[in-house]
Amino acid sequence: MRVLVTGGAGFIGSAVCRHFIVDLGYDVVVLDKMTYAGNLASLAPVASSPHYVFEKHDICDSASVNAIFAKYEPDAVVHLAAESHVDRSISGSDVFVQTNVIGTFTLLEAARSYLKTRKSAIDFRFIHVSTDEVYGSLGADGLFTETTPYDPSSPYSATKAASDHLAKAWHRTYGMPVIVSNCSNNYGPYHFPEKLIPLVILNALDRKTLPVYGDGSNVRDWLYVEDHARALGVILLKGVPGETYNIGGRNERKNLDVVEQICTWMDELRPANSSHHDLISFVTDRPGHDQRYAIDASKLENELGWRAQETFETGIEKTVRWYLDNAHWWEPLRHKVYGGERLGLVKA
Ligand code: NAD
C-alpha cells in the first residue's frame, strides 16, 4: 500500500505517517507546503525509513499535484493539508479559503484524472480528513452524528464544511471512492504551541499567565492524536466509499477543567514556589466561540471496530510528560515561529 499523505508535516499528519510507516508498514509519500505549521522534526522518527518520501508542494498547484500522482501512483490519499487554527482564520481568512477549499478541489481533480489511467488492482481510496466544527455548536445535551446538519461558525469551519461538500460531491457525481471523516479536538505530542493544550503547558513551564477564553465553560471532546491516526488507518482499510465517519474519544471536558488538569500535572512534575493554578487568567472570549462539541463515534466503533485506546486522563499525562522531555522540538518554534501572543481578536 502506497499512501499519499497531504499535510504530513503537520500535527495529525505526522502522527498518521509515523503510524502508517512504523506500525502498518505502508509506503508513505508526504505532500506538504511547509507553512508555519509544517515541521520536519515531527517526521524525524521515520525520516530515514525506506518507506518514506517527502515532496514540498502546495496542494493548490495543480501541475505539481498532477505530477506527484503520476510519479508515485498512490493506492490511497489521506488528505490532511489545511490551515487549521480557528483564531488565525478570524484574523485572516484568505489563506483558509485558498488551501482548504481550492486546495481540496485541486487535489480531488488531480485524483480524478489520475484514476482514469490507474492500472493497479488495489482498490483506491481518498480519505478527506475533516472536523466536527462543521456541525456548529451544541447546547448542554446531544451529540454530533454523521447526519447532523452542517452549521459552521468560524471562517475555518466554514472552509472545512465547503471542502467536505466538494469531497462528497466528487463521490456522488464522479463515483470517486471518497470517504469523509469528522474528528473532534486532537491533542498529544508534536502539537504546534498555538493550540490550547501545548500553549498552556509551555506557558506554565515559563511561569507565564495561562489564558482561558471567556469563563472557560466551553466544552470540547478530546481525542489523543495517535487514536485519530489509528482510526484513519481503520477507515482506509474498512471504510465504505461515500460514507462519513465521526471520530471522537468520548472525552468531553470544559476548557477550564483541561487547564486545571495540566496545572495539577505541572505541580506534580515541575513544582514551583506557588501552584501553577494561580497562573490561570480569564481573557476576552473568541468571537463566535462555539459552546460545546461532542461526538457520537458509534458508527466507527460498531461498523469498523475502532476504539479509542486513551482516556483524557492517560493522554494528558503522556502529553505533559512529552513536552517536558522534548524541549528540542518546541523551543525553536516558541522562539522563532510563535511566541504565545493572542491571535484572533476582531479589531473595531
Ligand atoms: P496542522 O496545522 O498542524 O498541519 C497542517 C499541515 O498542512 C502543515 O504541515 C502545513 O504545512 C500543511 N499545509 C498547509 N497548507 C498547505 C498547502 N496549501 N499545501 C500543502 N500543505 C499545506 O493541522 P492539524 O491539526 O494536523 O490538522 C490536520 C487536518 O485535520 C486538517 O485538515 C484539520 O482541519 C483536520 N482536523 C484537525 C483537528 C485538530 O484538533 N487539530 C481536529 C479535526 C480535524
Side-chain angles (χ1 to χ4, degrees):
M1 172 90 88
R2 183 178 303 136
V3 186
L4 178 62
V5 178
T6 73
F11 167 49
I12 302 170
S14 65
V16 168
C17 294
R18 296 189 301 270
H19 174 53
F20 282 12
I21 293 170
V22 176
D23 303 327
L24 305 181
Y26 294 167
D27 288 342
V28 166
V29 179
V30 170
L31 169 55
D32 199 295
K33 182 183 173 183
M34 298 304 288
T35 66
Y36 77 96
N39 189 348
L40 290 179
S42 307
L43 289 163
V46 294
S48 56
S49 167
H51 297 289
Y52 164 78
V53 179
F54 180 81
E55 292 276 359
K56 183 177 173 192
H57 297 287
D58 187 336
I59 56 164
C60 300
D61 173 357
S62 61
S64 299
V65 176
N66 283 323
I68 294 295
F69 275 102
K71 182 173 176 187
Y72 294 103
E73 301 184 351
D75 301 309
V77 174
V78 180
H79 173 37
L80 297 117
E83 288 294 332
S84 71
H85 191 35
V86 174
D87 286 345
R88 286 185 196 263
S89 82
I90 295 168
S91 309
S93 49
D94 189 308
V95 69
F96 285 73
V97 176
Q98 283 303 321
T99 287
N100 299 1
V101 184
I102 306 297
T104 299
F105 159 75
T106 306
L107 204 60
L108 287 165
E109 277 297 80
R112 188 164 78 89
S113 117
Y114 159 68
L115 285 178
K116 287 178 190 157
T117 57
R118 182 170 180 267
K119 294 181 191 70
S120 169
I122 300 176
D123 285 338
F124 182 82
R125 292 286 180 270
F126 187 113
I127 314 292
H128 174 69
V129 179
S130 190
T131 166
D132 61 355
E133 300 191 27
V134 297
Y135 299 126
S137 185
L138 288 166
D141 304 317
L143 300 170
F144 295 134
T145 71
E146 288 78 1
T147 56
T148 301
Y150 276 34
D151 187 21
S153 302
S154 69
Y156 163 68
S157 53
T159 59
K160 290 300 291 187
S163 66
D164 291 12
H165 291 318
L166 290 174
K168 290 177 193 189
W170 259 241
H171 170 73
R172 286 188 207 162
T173 305
Y174 304 114
M176 258 182 59
V178 174
I179 302 173
V180 175
S181 65
N182 294 93
C183 187
S184 59
N185 279 50
N186 283 217
Y187 69 103
Y190 303 99
H191 204 182
F192 190 84
E194 66 191 352
K195 304 280 170 63
L196 177 70
I197 288 178
L199 180 75
V200 166
I201 298 170
L202 299 187
N203 275 15
L205 202 53
D206 285 350
R207 304 292 298 163
K208 290 183 179 163
T209 56
L210 311 179
V212 174
Y213 290 0
D215 62 1
S217 67
N218 303 70
V219 173
R220 299 294 179 260
D221 186 352
W222 294 95
L223 184 71
Y224 194 64
V225 67
E226 291 172 9
D227 275 322
H228 189 183
R230 286 186 279 267
L232 293 173
V234 170
I235 289 170
L236 185 53
L237 275 189
K238 300 197 218 165
V240 177
E243 293 293 318
T244 293
Y245 297 93
N246 279 356
I247 312 174
R250 299 178 195 280
N251 278 301
E252 282 184 59
R253 294 288 183 285
K254 286 186 183 145
N255 284 350
L256 182 57
D257 294 341
V258 168
V259 175
E260 299 268 14
Q261 208 157 342
I262 294 169
C263 290
T264 302
W265 273 113
M266 291 299 291
D267 283 350
E268 162 102 15
L269 299 171
R270 290 292 159 97
N273 289 339
S274 62
S275 167
H276 292 88
H277 293 264
D278 299 340
L279 299 171
I280 292 174
S281 163
F282 295 93
V283 299
T284 309
D285 206 353
R286 168 187 281 167
H289 202 178
D290 288 333
Q291 182 57 33
R292 178 173 163 258
Y293 303 140
I295 280 271
D296 178 357
S298 39
K299 178 176 174 182
L300 177 61
E301 292 168 347
N302 298 338
E303 294 182 13
L304 306 191
W306 171 87
R307 288 279 181 293
Q309 293 180 13
E310 301 290 343
T311 64
F312 188 70
E313 282 59 42
T314 60
I316 198 70
E317 179 186 349
K318 282 187 181 179
T319 304
V320 174
R321 288 185 187 277
W322 188 87
Y323 278 88
L324 297 184
D325 292 343
N326 287 279
H328 68 91
W329 182 85
W330 54 260
E331 254 170 0
L333 302 176
R334 203 62 177 162
H335 294 133
K336 292 195 195 118
V337 188
Y338 173 69
E341 61 278 9
R342 178 73 195 265
L343 301 166
L345 286 175
V346 179
K347 295 194 179 70

